[in-house]
Amino acid sequence: MPHTPDTFLPPLLDPVTGEEITFNYEPSVQSTRDSASRLSIPKYGSWEMTDMLIKQYSPLFHSATNIPSFIRAFSAAINMKHLRVSCPGQDPAQRYRRSTVDYALISLRIAVERSKLLLLDTLSLISIHPGATLCLNPILGFAVLPNSAKRWKQIRKLAIHMDSVPFTSELPVDHLKLLHSYLQLFATSVEHFTFRWLGAKGPCPLSLGTESCLVRSSPALACPRRCHLALSPLRFHQLRNMEVENSVMDAAQISGFITSHRHTVQEFNFENVALRSGSWDEALAPLTRISGSEKWKDKSVEVMDVPLMLSPAGLEEGQMAKAKAISWKLAESWSEK
């Protein structure tokens, strides 16, 4: 469900005064209809609010909040093993505005939790916006139950491709905190984890607790009692394969993560990762200590430049002879390997 002009939700206005009205969403899990009356229960809390939303918001919004329909759809897919969610195209200027896509994600999360998807073990969040982790969080989200997290703890393979967010101490870091809280949900179950920042490089999602932008000396004004508290480190107890792409890290972050997961992880993959401090030798030093030698370095992939001749037209005899000699040498080296 991509972000489009049709999914944008304008401010809700009072039809008489024209003033903006705050809409406090409370998901309606049960059907609003019964046998006695077609409109027996207001879907959005009160009749006045329901009437304004029907008149001012498009049918797409009301379909996204039709949670009973989502539950019926997922209840018919009891053999589902892999859930793939994609909602690309959010304008960065709308990071803190809720759209129809967010309401659809809330309905999807509730439907998954209340359906018997016993075989579900793979979750792919491909091209999602940062705020999606709040909508999909069964602990901090809407209409949560004591057992809401149970279905998500079945996930063994988790892949997240998220739009990049700025991470400096001068800018809000709410989305990074929400991401950290969301990943904690899978700490006891996930075995294969892949994360990719879309756009600019972002911080390491597995070491957000050590990011300087999240470690403040004084509490912020928004939440003075809790916002200054340090994030607890992430520890995946069953993790075997880990891949992080398009990220900026410190050597100490990589070294610390490898050390804390040395008993479970079999493969680390850092793709398009830049180091802010330290060297790769320092970052991967725990592998030497764990293995007791540096033999793991011998498994590095050999890269070589191979000349490619598309056409011999226009080449002189000397150039042709030189190209043939190079090709023969390459053929001999490959045959020896």
Side-chain angles (χ1 to χ4, degrees):
M1 188 176 183
H3 294 264
T4 65
D6 294 332
T7 62
F8 174 78
L9 296 177
L12 193 63
L13 303 178
D14 187 290
V16 178
T17 64
E19 296 179 353
E20 184 176 352
I21 298 177
T22 301
F23 172 42
N24 296 319
Y25 180 56
E26 296 183 4
S28 178
V29 179
Q30 303 297 329
S31 176
T32 58
R33 302 181 182 181
D34 62 13
S35 58
S37 173
R38 179 176 177 272
L39 297 174
S40 59
I41 306 174
K43 181 178 180 180
Y44 302 108
S46 67
W47 293 114
E48 293 78 11
M49 181 62 69
T50 300
D51 182 66
M52 282 189 291
L53 289 171
I54 291 176
K55 292 180 179 179
Q56 298 186 35
Y57 283 175
S58 68
L60 185 62
F61 165 78
H62 302 288
S63 298
T65 57
N66 190 354
I67 298 176
S69 295
F70 278 78
I71 294 177
R72 287 193 296 270
F74 277 91
S75 298
I78 58 175
N79 293 323
M80 179 185 298
K81 296 183 178 180
H82 184 183
L83 176 61
R84 186 178 187 273
V85 180
S86 178
C87 42
Q90 187 189 50
D91 185 351
Q94 305 298 327
R95 287 283 191 256
Y96 288 91
R97 288 193 63 89
R98 198 173 296 159
S99 70
T100 300
V101 176
D102 296 307
Y103 288 97
L105 291 176
I106 294 172
S107 300
L108 181 144
R109 194 213 84 226
I110 296 174
V112 169
E113 295 167 1
R114 307 198 180 199
S115 303
K116 294 183 179 180
L117 305 177
L118 303 180
L119 301 180
L120 181 64
D121 64 357
T122 304
L123 175 62
S124 298
L125 306 179
I126 307 301
S127 188
I128 64 169
H129 55 289
T133 54
L134 175 60
C135 302
L136 296 173
N137 195 315
I139 299 176
L140 302 178
F142 297 83
V144 298
L145 297 175
N147 63 342
S148 292
K150 179 180 178 180
R151 186 67 64 220
W152 302 107
K153 291 185 181 297
Q154 298 178 188
I155 300 299
R156 298 292 180 266
K157 299 178 181 179
L158 175 64
I160 300 178
H161 298 177
M162 179 178 289
D163 294 338
S164 181
V165 295
F167 57 106
T168 61
S169 57
E170 294 78 15
L171 296 176
V173 291
D174 307 284
H175 290 126
L176 295 179
K177 291 184 177 181
L178 291 174
L179 173 61
H180 181 84
S181 175
Y182 184 69
L183 293 179
Q184 282 183 320
L185 174 68
F186 305 96
T188 61
S189 61
V190 72
E191 299 177 358
H192 304 269
F193 176 70
T194 301
F195 189 95
R196 176 188 303 168
W197 288 110
L198 302 177
K201 285 182 171 63
C204 178
L206 304 175
S207 305
L208 292 176
T210 60
E211 288 293 332
S212 59
C213 63
L214 294 172
V215 180
R216 298 180 176 178
S217 58
S218 61
L221 297 177
C223 186
R225 294 186 177 181
R226 294 190 57 86
C227 65
H228 67 289
L229 299 179
L231 299 179
S232 59
L234 284 175
R235 174 73 169 86
F236 294 94
H237 303 281
Q238 307 295 332
L239 188 63
R240 298 173 55 192
N241 302 87
M242 183 277 292
E243 178 178 350
V244 176
E245 184 174 346
N246 197 30
S247 181
V248 178
M249 307 181 192
D250 297 323
Q253 291 178 326
I254 299 176
S255 175
F257 185 83
I258 294 177
T259 301
S260 61
H261 293 79
R262 62 187 182 278
H263 298 300
T264 58
V265 176
Q266 301 175 357
E267 180 179 348
F268 297 94
N269 188 357
F270 300 97
E271 184 74 20
N272 193 22
V273 171
L275 292 180
R276 286 176 301 197
S277 62
S279 64
W280 280 106
D281 287 337
E282 296 173 350
L284 302 179
L287 296 180
T288 301
R289 294 195 297 267
I290 294 171
S291 61
S293 65
E294 296 186 353
K295 291 183 178 180
W296 61 272
K297 294 184 179 180
D298 299 334
K299 299 180 181 180
S300 58
V301 179
E302 181 181 355
V303 179
M304 60 186 303
D305 295 329
V306 179
L308 178 63
M309 184 174 62
L310 299 178
S311 173
L315 292 180
E316 298 179 357
E317 294 183 0
Q319 293 176 323
M320 284 290 297
K322 184 177 180 181
K324 289 182 179 180
I326 293 176
S327 62
W328 277 109
K329 290 182 179 179
L330 290 174
E332 292 177 356
S333 62
W334 289 339
S335 62
E336 291 177 359
K337 293 182 179 180

